[in-house]
Amino acid sequence: MFTGIVTDIGRVLALDQQGDLRARIGTGYDVAGIDIGASIACNGVCLTVIALGRDPQNWFDVQISAETVGATNVSGWTVGKMLNLERALKVGDELGGHIVSGHVDGVAEVVAMCDEGDSTRVTFRAPEALARFIAPKGSVALDGTSLTVNEVAGRDFGINFIPHTKTATTWGDVAVGDLINIEIDTMARYVARLQDYA
């Protein structure tokens, strides 16, 4: 489990398509404190660490199944791509965002952007099947970042990015047309399920 509070910006150092896709991700994390088998959310995708190293910088390797590649924006990763990273939640950690599983539900598209003061308003278009789970003032995880929805119009929804979020995550580099991993709020999923059987 995760909180959607990004704690490092990693960089894809290498990609190797074997039976599955293997990715090497450079990180600011102290790899001495990461165990093989640990979970790290990479742009919101919960991935398992299979190798660690320190040369030429701290890095960890993950293995990504074809199913995960097909259901997320991992298919667009290239060497040099920057990624939002978050280590798994530990008992006693502060829950600053919302409960995020790292199981991406689909891919949204950035359809519009405009500056509002020092902040940036970004409009996303959700997949049709996920749109009903997104509500104004509700939570959503986008590329692993816990965010509050400002407004919703059909499949489109807006998020306001403050300067801190733009510098502490990869959101400072977002552009119209980008494909973004989306994980809907777990509570919204269960409320919708209950309504289906009410």
Side-chain angles (χ1 to χ4, degrees):
M1 301 300 286
F2 305 92
T3 67
I5 303 299
V6 173
T7 54
D8 187 29
I9 298 177
R11 184 169 62 90
V12 177
L13 301 177
L15 295 166
D16 183 20
Q17 185 66 61
Q18 301 172 356
D20 289 326
L21 178 64
R22 184 171 176 143
R24 176 159 295 175
I25 299 169
T27 181
Y29 294 143
D30 178 4
V31 295
I34 300 174
D35 294 329
I36 299 295
S39 295
I40 298 178
C42 304
N43 265 11
V45 183
C46 178
L47 298 173
T48 301
V49 174
I50 60 169
L52 297 158
R54 294 188 172 146
D55 186 34
Q57 68 177 97
N58 288 351
W59 57 263
F60 61 91
D61 282 359
V62 293
Q63 201 165 12
I64 311 167
S65 71
E67 179 180 352
T68 299
V69 171
T72 67
N73 66 11
V74 170
S75 61
W77 287 10
T78 56
V79 172
K81 179 170 178 61
M82 307 307 281
L83 304 174
N84 292 322
L85 302 181
E86 182 186 357
R87 306 254 335 249
L89 183 64
K90 295 177 184 163
V91 174
D93 283 353
E94 179 180 335
L95 183 58
H98 71 282
I99 295 294
V100 175
S101 69
H103 302 156
V104 172
D105 292 297
V107 177
E109 181 183 359
V110 176
V111 295
M113 296 175 60
C114 68
D115 289 331
E116 296 181 354
D118 293 330
S119 298
T120 302
R121 179 65 56 97
V122 181
T123 303
F124 299 87
R125 182 158 295 144
E128 186 71 46
L130 300 180
R132 71 187 187 116
F133 297 104
I134 301 169
K137 307 308 175 195
S139 296
V140 65
L142 297 174
D143 271 358
T145 312
S146 174
L147 297 162
T148 301
V149 176
N150 291 104
E151 73 280 330
V152 177
R155 291 172 52 199
D156 293 354
F157 63 97
I159 304 281
N160 189 55
F161 291 90
I162 62 172
H164 172 78
T165 303
K166 292 189 290 183
T167 58
T169 69
T170 61
W171 287 107
D173 297 324
V174 69
V176 171
D178 285 354
L179 299 179
I180 306 296
N181 290 326
I182 181 171
E183 180 184 330
I184 58 172
D185 183 31
T186 300
M187 288 192 296
R189 186 190 319 272
Y190 284 114
V191 167
R193 181 72 171 162
L194 287 169
Q195 287 179 333
D196 288 345
Y197 285 92

